[in-house]
Amino acid sequence: MTTKEKIIKYIEKRGSVSAKEIIDYVEISKQATFLHLKGLIEGGLISKVGTPPNVFYIPSQKKDIKNHINFSGDVEKIINDNFLFITSMGEAKEGIDGFISWCNRNNLNPIKTSMEYKKTLEKYNKYRLKSGLIDGTDKIKTSFKEVYLDRVFYVDFYAIERFGKTKLGQLLLYSKQSQDKKMIKNLSLIIKDKIDVLIKEYEIDAVCFIPPTVKREVQFMKELEKNLKLSIKKINIIKIKSDIVVPQKTLNKIEDRIENAEKTFYINDNGGHRNVLIIDDAVGSGATLNVVGEKIKKANINKGKIIGLAITGSYKGFDVISEV
């Protein structure tokens, strides 16, 4: 039996083991053990969960998946491009691997469900423009008497029927909750091209990022700004702090969200811009984007268009997305 086979059998027998336990069991050097573990993970034969110093290795079903299920070429590509499953252990499984795991957890036939997933995505993709963005302008116009944004887009829906949160929706939720810089960078890379296209199409020369309300060691929007590296001017938005922090996501009424945004956001900029892009993480009511657009317009900071962009948005109107 090879060392790799010994490691696999040991992990399968124990369920979850630490690197130290594996090193003691196989009786080889630490460096050699980690090389074996890396190869086994890359080959889909085991999985790694946790973060240092609490990292454990567990069995993986990826090998069985590929041997027993064959998807048609177009369906496989759709799943690999769009599907992400975050397990209860916090393991991110993308594409076919994640789809099979999700089907197994829900006792679903993977082949039949894959066709349903394809049809569901086709339904939602009807709302996409050629750029790949989703136009939410008409929906925000039905939510507010006065709209100060010329156009509103989001990169993806936050969730879709039956299958739940989209890949981008999950990356947004878990990267914020876990304050995971690597996950935020991954999300940034996914949306970067679409933002560049938007900037070019609308001749954007200034951008502003909606600042966070809740204090975190790793702030999502700060990391996003750093990762995007946009070569245009930045408009500073200041979030005014109060004695009691009231995040927008905790407010269910649109009126309360509007009041919250009106009284807590301040624009600090000398103006002179043409077209401005406002970037937010998730569109719920759309109140924050619209109020910031109003403040920019009334302060005569720009002379052209104001475009709003959210990473994710609700499919049914601008329902409150309370998780992020």
Side-chain angles (χ1 to χ4, degrees):
M1 185 183 296
T2 66
T3 301
K4 285 186 177 180
E5 289 172 338
K6 287 177 67 177
I7 292 173
I8 292 171
K9 286 190 175 295
Y10 182 61
I11 292 173
E12 288 176 346
K13 181 180 179 181
R14 294 285 304 278
S16 65
V17 293
S18 66
K20 184 180 183 306
E21 289 174 312
I22 295 171
I23 293 168
D24 292 341
Y25 176 72
V26 296
E27 296 181 328
I28 60 175
S29 70
K30 180 179 179 180
Q31 184 179 14
T33 301
F34 278 109
L35 284 173
H36 283 306
L37 291 172
K38 181 181 179 183
L40 291 171
I41 291 170
E42 290 175 350
L45 300 174
I46 64 171
S47 297
K48 183 172 72 172
V49 295
T51 56
N54 299 312
V55 174
F56 296 90
Y57 298 86
I58 62 175
S60 174
Q61 296 180 338
K62 189 179 289 186
K63 183 179 179 182
D64 295 332
I65 289 167
K66 292 186 176 179
N67 286 341
H68 293 89
I69 300 176
N70 294 312
F71 297 94
S72 62
D74 63 329
V75 172
E76 183 170 343
K77 185 179 187 307
I78 288 170
I79 293 173
N80 281 329
D81 288 345
N82 295 282
F83 201 86
L84 172 66
F85 174 51
I86 307 292
T87 71
S88 58
M89 294 290 291
E91 181 185 7
K93 293 188 174 185
E94 295 191 66
I96 293 297
D97 182 25
F99 189 78
I100 296 293
S101 297
W102 182 82
C103 287
N104 288 341
R105 190 197 68 171
N106 292 286
N107 297 315
L108 298 171
N109 181 300
I111 297 296
K112 180 182 177 182
T113 307
S114 70
M115 299 307 297
E116 294 168 352
Y117 180 65
K118 178 186 176 183
K119 288 182 180 179
T120 301
L121 282 190
E122 288 172 349
K123 170 186 172 180
Y124 284 85
N125 284 338
K126 290 178 182 178
Y127 296 92
R128 292 189 185 277
L129 305 172
K130 289 183 179 180
S131 63
L133 293 171
I134 298 160
D135 192 344
T137 309
D138 289 340
K139 291 186 178 182
I140 199 169
K141 285 180 178 179
T142 63
S143 299
F144 304 100
K145 291 181 180 179
E146 292 187 75
V147 176
Y148 297 91
L149 303 164
D150 293 279
R151 298 293 294 273
V152 177
F153 302 97
Y154 35 88
V155 182
D156 202 357
F157 294 110
Y158 181 68
I160 59 176
E161 62 188 59
R162 187 182 180 189
F163 295 94
K165 297 179 192 66
T166 61
K167 180 177 182 178
L168 211 52
Q170 291 185 82
L171 286 174
L172 175 60
L173 173 64
Y174 291 112
S175 64
K176 288 187 71 172
Q177 287 187 345
S178 62
Q179 302 179 56
D180 189 324
K181 290 186 178 182
K182 184 178 179 181
M183 193 176 287
I184 298 173
K185 188 172 184 179
N186 184 17
L187 183 152
S188 304
L189 291 172
I190 292 173
I191 68 175
K192 177 74 164 65
D193 289 345
K194 289 184 173 61
I195 292 177
D196 288 341
V197 169
L198 192 64
I199 288 173
K200 183 178 180 180
E201 181 179 352
Y202 287 93
E203 299 180 343
I204 303 292
D205 64 332
V207 63
C208 55
F209 295 85
I210 301 297
T213 300
V214 179
K215 186 177 180 180
R216 291 187 174 98
E217 185 176 342
V218 176
Q219 290 292 5
F220 176 85
M221 294 303 283
K222 285 287 185 183
E223 289 297 314
L224 179 68
E225 178 186 343
K226 183 172 68 176
N227 292 330
L228 290 177
K229 298 177 182 177
L230 301 178
S231 56
I232 53 178
K233 294 179 181 178
K234 178 191 171 185
I235 297 173
N236 290 316
I237 303 178
I238 298 172
K239 178 72 174 179
I240 300 171
K241 296 180 180 179
S242 57
D243 294 335
I244 300 175
V245 176
V246 182
Q248 282 266 329
K249 66 181 181 181
T250 64
L251 303 172
N252 294 321
K253 294 182 179 180
I254 288 182
E255 294 82 3
D256 291 337
R257 289 193 161 209
I258 293 172
E259 182 181 31
N260 179 281
E262 285 179 340
K263 295 183 178 180
T264 60
F265 288 111
Y266 172 72
I267 309 295
N268 182 22
D269 193 86
N270 294 323
H273 312 297
R274 296 193 311 277
N275 302 311
V276 173
L277 176 65
I278 308 171
I279 298 179
D280 201 357
D281 52 12
V283 165
S285 65
T288 299
L289 283 176
N290 197 46
V291 168
V292 171
E294 177 185 7
K295 288 178 179 288
I296 289 173
K297 186 157 287 189
K298 289 184 175 180
N300 294 316
I301 287 174
N302 78 310
K303 297 179 180 179
K305 296 181 181 296
I306 300 175
I307 309 298
L309 175 70
I311 296 171
T312 63
S314 168
Y315 172 63
K316 293 184 179 180
F318 282 95
D319 298 338
V320 172
I321 299 176
S322 61
E323 295 177 299
V324 297

